[in-house]
Amino acid sequence: MGLGSTYDVFFSYSGVDKAEVELLATRLQREAGLQPFLDKWHLVPGEPWQPELERAIEQSSTAAIFFGPQGRGAWHIEEVQVLLDKAARSRNDFRVVPVLLPGASADTLDAFLKQRTWVDFRSGLDDLSAFKRLVAGIKGEAIEPNGYELPDEPAPNGGLERFEARQKDFFFGREDDIRRLARRLSRSRFVAIVGASGCGKSSLARAGLHTVIASQELPAIRDWRLVIFLPGGNPLRALAEQIAAEAPVADRVRVADELTERFEAREDGLCTAIGALTGGSQRVVLIVVDQFEEIFTHSGITRDSASTNSSRAEQLIANLLNAVEDPSGSIRVLITLRADFVPHSLEFPQLRYLLENNQLLLGELGPEALREAIKFPARKVGAFFEKGLVELILRDVHQQRGSLPLLQHALKELWQARLGPWLTLEAYERSGGVAGALRRRAQDTYEQKLKDEQQRAIARSILLRLVTLGEGVPDSRRRVPREELFPHVVERRQVEQVLSVLSHNETRLIVVNDDNTVEVTHEALIHSWETLREWIDSKREQLRILRRLTDSAKEWEEAGRETSYLYRGGRLEDVEKWPTSSEISLNRRELVFVEASLAERQREGEQRRIQQQRELDSALKLAETERQARRRQRKLIGALVALLFIAGLVAVIAVRERNSARLAQKETSEVACRAHVSLARDSLEAGKEAEALAHLAQALRLNPRDYAAVSLTAALLAQSSSVRPLSGLMEHDSSVVSARFSPDGLRVLTASSDHTARQWSAADGQPLGAPLRHWGKIGSARFSPNGQQIVTGSEDTTARLWDATTGEEIGALMQHEGAVYSAEFSPDGQRVLTASADGTARLWNATTGQPVGEPLKHEGA
């Protein structure tokens, strides 16, 4: 008996059926311990009976309405209306149980009573099964159905899936929001439904607009044509395909191609296309862009990102704005937008303009609306909740933000575990309740329905690819082409089997859409399933690299496999060992892209080695020419000595020629040394350490003090002893002839034969700023004592001053008449000292680059 109730059940019946009803009332008292209200037992003769009946109805927990062979009498009909009214007022906590007596017909039940599960005594009042069902209906407790089952379809709850138009009759709890939306659409041509993830935005847009409430509020909506699409990575194409769906099947691809090109080229593309396709009809077309945030989540774009995806997003927004401002007024636009993506949207001026005064903010369902969303769909199909179950569910959902998807999933689990028409407390507790049902379903699917570790590994790879990592917002689902999910190392049929398990009606963790794309059924799975969250968190950096690789491989293929789109440098190093080292296997397109990038790097390396070998050959030829010149010079000196016998003159000439020869020999040795060092580097990149050591030995023979040769030899020996470098390779296009730390030790300054000097981070070897360029090879580069300036000396006969922070050139060129071999600052940083092949050293002002004093001259270069 309910709290505050006097009677367990109120009996309503026609007078001609009094005997059968009294017999059942007696059985309920004696066998079930229930207290029914029967007018014959409780009305006092001579007293006004109508007020007593009304009082008895209010004091009863349930009502049983009996129907016999004669149907209903006049007062019987009145009682039924009062009982149904009480049931409506109590949100059906007051149960009304129709009972068919022997000889009755089910046609006696009106539409309202047919929605309820009735008790059937037509085979006789001694039917034990019927009696048990009557007791259970009064108590609100489930019993074994004994053959009485509800069909699987229609199912009252779709689980994680959004409500569609076909499920409008089961969409409860949003009546006021449906009215608000219909009123907004009646006076505004653009509306944005904005709310948190999981609050039901998509269901409101898709199912709510098809309800009777919407058409009552906005009658014209019955004649509107709705075009609904998800933007995905290419929103213009997605819109074109939905509009093209009205064309004959054979023409749809061609029409979609033409519409996509039109939308990309013209801001009025949507408006003019709709006008042409409707033939000038005044019928309103409502464009529904569901999950509008996909223009951000699928591409990672912002207003300032210069990419194809960003351009498509801007063009979509421009087309929508043009359509809603069209004077004909035949197009309206409705979008659904997650609240945490409003800041992203405001970065687009046109979208900011549309959102400014046209938002319908959707919040969480209140307690009464939640009660409706729980109970009414079940009542629609003739199911009812065991006593106390609705209150337990409400307590579990109370004040849990974004809980609607979890609630719908829990209700779907209840429906699938129903006991006849009953949704039971036992099934709810066994499922884990609102919070645990989805987690239990996902974990059971992963551990039990996937038969071995290989299938589970494939499932992990699939699910991780279906997540978009949040940057300042929560992680969200990602819709991908089905083909992306097939790893190159796994047989296709094995992946198909896993996809089948994950998308099966009994699991429904993922959805395979009509356009052959795949996505997780709802973001609630990403946020609520701890196992998936652990995978995401442990692979977050790897997923960022993979997402970039996936997009790059797609762009490369779309560009006709143009080599300039391939990976180089650090990005290639990130994925070089991916095919064998990662738990997330690459698909065929990604693997081909990585292999092509590696092949291009090898080809470019071979070209560099060939060029460097040519330079080495040239240097060796030059050295031979110089040796021959020196022999001729020595003969000439001997001849002059023999002819002139002037010892002093011979000495002067000999000194000059000796110095010149030494300089030429030094330059030749340095050129040959640098060539060997460069060849050693390429050999190291190719993994040929022995060949690299041979080149370095030649380099050190030519110039034992060469910094690059000594450093590279030390690094190679350290590497062979399992010592790893502290940072990345600081690489020039040609040999590095000088390397110095900054005074604070945080930067490295290198000078190269490639005409540049560069700054690098001493922590990770990454370049800092742009190269400092000369017209000739740079032989010297030094920091000022405070590290704020740089001076470089070059074979182009100049020394130059640079701002070490900005890389900008300071002051005037410090000009010599020959190559500048060295340049460095004075200890106080006020002056610069340079030395040149023109036989002079010079002092310069370190701020202006102006000369200080006269050149310091030598006799020789």
Side-chain angles (χ1 to χ4, degrees), residues 544-663:
R544 286 194 178 96
I545 295 172
L546 176 62
R547 196 72 67 245
R548 188 169 61 221
L549 172 61
T550 303
D551 293 340
S552 298
K554 181 181 178 184
E555 290 179 2
W556 172 65
E557 200 164 80
E558 290 175 347
R561 301 196 170 188
E562 165 62 42
T563 57
S564 62
Y565 283 78
L566 293 172
Y567 272 180
R568 290 169 173 82
R571 287 197 170 184
L572 181 54
E573 291 173 8
D574 285 341
V575 299
E576 184 172 1
K577 296 182 180 179
W578 191 296
T580 57
S581 65
S582 174
E583 292 183 16
I584 311 172
S585 298
L586 301 184
N587 59 38
R588 184 62 186 167
R589 176 196 279 169
E590 295 159 350
L591 178 66
V592 170
F593 176 79
V594 172
E595 290 177 340
S597 297
L598 292 170
E600 181 64 14
R601 184 179 70 180
Q602 184 175 2
R603 188 190 66 80
E604 291 175 348
E606 287 294 334
Q607 287 184 335
R608 282 199 304 273
R609 278 191 286 276
I610 292 171
Q611 179 61 30
Q612 288 158 357
Q613 187 63 52
R614 288 173 180 168
E615 291 177 359
L616 177 59
D617 292 343
S618 297
L620 294 175
K621 288 179 181 178
L622 178 60
E624 180 61 28
T625 301
E626 292 294 338
R627 282 194 293 273
Q628 292 175 0
R630 285 196 298 275
R631 284 197 295 270
R632 287 195 299 269
Q633 290 165 357
R634 283 195 295 270
K635 290 179 181 180
L636 176 60
I637 292 170
L640 288 174
V641 170
L643 292 172
L644 301 176
F645 297 101
I646 304 175
L649 179 61
V650 170
V652 171
I653 294 173
V655 168
R656 286 184 177 272
E657 291 301 323
R658 185 172 62 253
N659 288 340
S660 176
R662 286 175 179 173
L663 180 60

Side-chain angles (χ1 to χ4, degrees), residues 432-623:
V434 170
L438 178 59
R439 292 197 296 270
R440 185 189 63 80
R441 171 67 63 89
Q443 198 67 28
D444 286 352
T445 299
Y446 178 70
E447 293 178 351
Q448 300 176 19
K449 296 188 182 297
L450 298 172
K451 60 186 180 182
D452 54 38
E453 184 53 39
Q454 184 180 26
Q455 284 199 342
R456 286 189 278 274
I458 294 171
R460 285 196 298 272
S461 179
I462 289 172
L463 291 168
L464 286 171
R465 282 182 177 271
L466 299 180
V467 176
T468 293
L469 300 178
E471 300 295 343
V473 295
D475 298 336
S476 56
R477 59 181 169 177
R478 174 175 177 260
R479 188 153 35 89
V480 306
R482 194 167 184 270
E483 202 59 31
E484 182 184 316
L485 303 177
F486 290 86
H488 74 98
V489 294
V490 181
E491 291 184 20
R492 192 176 185 88
R493 62 177 181 79
Q494 294 176 310
V495 182
E496 295 281 9
Q497 289 171 356
V498 174
L499 285 172
S500 177
V501 170
L502 297 179
S503 62
H504 192 274
N505 285 336
E506 292 183 0
T507 56
R508 209 64 169 167
L509 299 185
I510 66 172
V511 178
V512 181
N513 299 309
D514 293 339
D515 60 355
N516 216 27
T517 59
V518 182
E519 61 187 324
V520 295
T521 313
H522 198 279
E523 285 170 5
L525 183 70
I526 298 172
H527 302 147
S528 301
W529 186 19
E530 291 92 341
T531 300
L532 179 55
R533 289 247 35 100
E534 290 172 3
W535 296 341
I536 295 170
D537 291 340
S538 66
K539 296 288 185 292
R540 190 167 291 273
E541 186 56 35
Q542 200 173 61
L543 286 172
R544 286 194 178 96
I545 295 172
L546 176 62
R547 196 72 67 245
R548 188 169 61 221
L549 172 61
T550 303
D551 293 340
S552 298
K554 181 181 178 184
E555 290 179 2
W556 172 65
E557 200 164 80
E558 290 175 347
R561 301 196 170 188
E562 165 62 42
T563 57
S564 62
Y565 283 78
L566 293 172
Y567 272 180
R568 290 169 173 82
R571 287 197 170 184
L572 181 54
E573 291 173 8
D574 285 341
V575 299
E576 184 172 1
K577 296 182 180 179
W578 191 296
T580 57
S581 65
S582 174
E583 292 183 16
I584 311 172
S585 298
L586 301 184
N587 59 38
R588 184 62 186 167
R589 176 196 279 169
E590 295 159 350
L591 178 66
V592 170
F593 176 79
V594 172
E595 290 177 340
S597 297
L598 292 170
E600 181 64 14
R601 184 179 70 180
Q602 184 175 2
R603 188 190 66 80
E604 291 175 348
E606 287 294 334
Q607 287 184 335
R608 282 199 304 273
R609 278 191 286 276
I610 292 171
Q611 179 61 30
Q612 288 158 357
Q613 187 63 52
R614 288 173 180 168
E615 291 177 359
L616 177 59
D617 292 343
S618 297
L620 294 175
K621 288 179 181 178
L622 178 60

